[in-house]
Amino acid sequence: MTKRTSVTTSAAGFAALGLDPRLLDALTALGYEEPTPIQQASIPPLRDGRDVLAMAATGTGKTAAFALPLLHLIDPALPPKQRLRALVLVPTRELAMQVAEAVHRYGKTLGASALPIYGGASMEQQISRLKRGVDVVVATPGRALDHIRRKTLALTGVRMVVLDEADEMLDMGFSEDLEAILSALPAERQTALFSATLPARITAIANSHLTNPVAVQIERPAVAPGETAKVRQVAYIVARAHKMAALARILDVEAPESAIVFCRTRTEVDQLTETLTARGYRAEALHGGLSQDQRDRVMKRFRAKGSDLLIATDVAARGLDVKHVTHVVNFDVPWESESYVHRIGRTGRAGREGVAITLAEPREHRLLRNIEAATRQKIDIGTVPTAADLRSRQMEQLRDQVVKTLAENELDRYHAIIEQLAEEHDVMDIAAAALRLAARRADGDVEHEDIPSIMPRATERSGAAPRPARQARREFAGKVGGAVAKLYIGAGRKLKIRPGDIVGAIAGEANIPISHIGAVQIGDRHSIVEVPEDKANFIIARLSASTIKGKKVRVRRDQA
Ligand code: AMP
């Protein structure tokens, strides 16, 4: 039986954390139903004015964990020079944009403005924007320091500073910049430090710059649950923009008899339900925005196999127990391992093998690793089925249907047409045309496009602690932002070139921030590196005029 849970239509859990009602409205509009564990633990102490030291990976909801409290400090009515109340420091330009966008989204109802500030962008524009006054600045440390030294970033009114992804900032060599910025800030301020890992260097910063911080750590080593043993677990690493298409493709190929798809927000539930319904699935939405009656009806239909897919938020699906579920899909990686274990425990019941599918964004690989560590089970990384895979699967299904139809032996009334057609056409062709017609009916004869899925590199999956430099470099992949150019560099493994040599040469010779250098692939005799398109020619010129590992090498745009 379903346990009746009291889900209300507003973000009630957030209200209990002491957030401004206008922020609650913003969260409800975004479709958030409940605070995530990291939000639950961090928001109250930050609202109380305490410092916080939080261990949280990307994908746990950490941005809102600091953004919501800091929005309480702003006062858009202040004169421009005194307006800046919060400074968020982040390792990369991409993150600066993302976090500023998140602050803007959450703070819209308060009239808050957030400005991302990073290297490589026009200094003048940033200065003129700062002059007009902003409430929150989200900056990479190098550029923040630049502004502080030019006195274009006035810190006197700053009440809170956040170090986001602190471990990455250190890995990227920002330690001195951070020290300088923290020393330049008013002593009377709050400090929040968020980091995916807490190595000694982070605790050292915390010791010298945080005052009596509240320590927040969510992941507990969960006990390995026997339940998950019967479940085939696979994850796909897909960029956010491709997630809907990827899920639809995976479902088309997996053809689940009955699946629950978990989403983070109501909005996602509604969008996904719409997308999958349009693709011919019998999908139904289940979230806290529905009345208890509506939810009961949805669950009843799902139990009675009147629908194939239940698209749900965690809150709404709490206590839901359905025997015949063959697939559990995590449209997003759950906030914590416990929730993952709980969700996938809903499939593979009664001795049957179940399937758990998880879609993760490239930056969320750490959450997957946490889950693997907690469950002591491996999650395979799959590649999103290609259009060709789907076609071959559809052909297989078509073939099976033909065999079934042949066995039914009720074909006499079609014989006449075929005899007639056969006077002018080859029987093979007639059969093929009939199949094409059937396929078109089933699938709308749509052209399927390939969806890029990203394979993590070997070290990412090994679980071995990577060396900091390597880890940082890996995180750069895909962060170039804007148009990207691929450069061919005529040196590779044979010359003992490592990605660090290439990143180092570009950063050093062309003075490009490491965060603007993308993925590096090392071949035997050559390497390929991604760089910002607008810097490509300059980098080629500078590298061609210098050496890598003491050798002159050919550098050009990659033709491939
Ligand atoms: P983050 O770990 O900050 O990168 O957040 C991961 C994702 O979770 C973002 O897409 C957020 O919009 C979303 N998110 C954060 N908090 C919540 C919440 N309480 N409920 C639903 N989604 C959330």
Side-chain angles (χ1 to χ4, degrees), residues 14 27 30-39 56-66 68 95 98-99 102 105-106 164-165 240 263-266 268 332-333 335 361 363-364 367:
F14 283 104
L27 297 174
L30 288 169
Y32 291 14
E33 296 196 331
E34 262 199 333
T36 70
I38 195 79
Q39 291 161 3
T58 297
T60 53
K62 67 182 169 66
T63 313
F66 61 76
L68 295 170
L95 200 59
Q98 267 177 26
V99 171
R105 229 176 328 139
Y106 299 136
D164 187 18
E165 307 207 348
R240 172 132 225 110
C263 298
R264 278 178 182 161
T265 64
R266 271 176 215 179
E268 247 170 25
D332 298 288
V333 190
W335 315 116
E361 288 173 44
R363 297 174 46 80
E364 293 174 337
L367 288 183

Side-chain angles (χ1 to χ4, degrees), residues 143-164:
R143 187 49 80 96
L145 198 57
D146 229 1
H147 279 285
I148 293 171
R149 294 201 166 129
R150 291 175 185 223
K151 305 215 182 319
T152 44
L153 187 62
L155 299 178
T156 42
V158 170
R159 302 265 187 88
M160 190 193 286
V161 59
V162 179
L163 309 184
D164 187 18

Side-chain angles (χ1 to χ4, degrees), residues 208-223:
S208 47
H209 295 284
L210 273 61
T211 312
N212 187 21
V214 175
V216 172
Q217 186 168 352
I218 299 304
E219 274 299 334
R220 292 172 289 264
V223 199

Side-chain angles (χ1 to χ4, degrees), residues 75-86 113 126-137 147 150-159 185-186:
D75 184 355
L78 285 171
K81 272 203 169 150
Q82 296 158 30
R83 221 172 126 180
L84 182 65
R85 285 299 172 91
S113 64
Q126 291 176 355
I127 292 174
S128 94
R129 201 53 201 85
L130 285 168
K131 269 196 186 140
R132 273 185 277 147
V134 288
D135 303 299
V136 183
V137 161
H147 279 285
R150 291 175 185 223
K151 305 215 182 319
T152 44
L153 187 62
L155 299 178
T156 42
V158 170
R159 302 265 187 88
L185 283 161

Side-chain angles (χ1 to χ4, degrees), residues 275-310:
T275 306
L276 294 170
T277 307
R279 291 179 75 99
Y281 284 97
R282 294 185 306 168
E284 289 211 67
L286 185 70
H287 58 57
L290 307 176
S291 70
Q292 183 67 50
D293 261 7
Q294 286 171 314
R295 273 184 283 145
D296 285 348
R297 275 201 297 273
V298 168
M299 289 202 267
K300 199 165 155 207
R301 270 196 297 272
F302 185 62
R303 270 207 197 87
K305 303 195 183 182
S307 53
D308 320 309
L309 302 178
L310 191 65

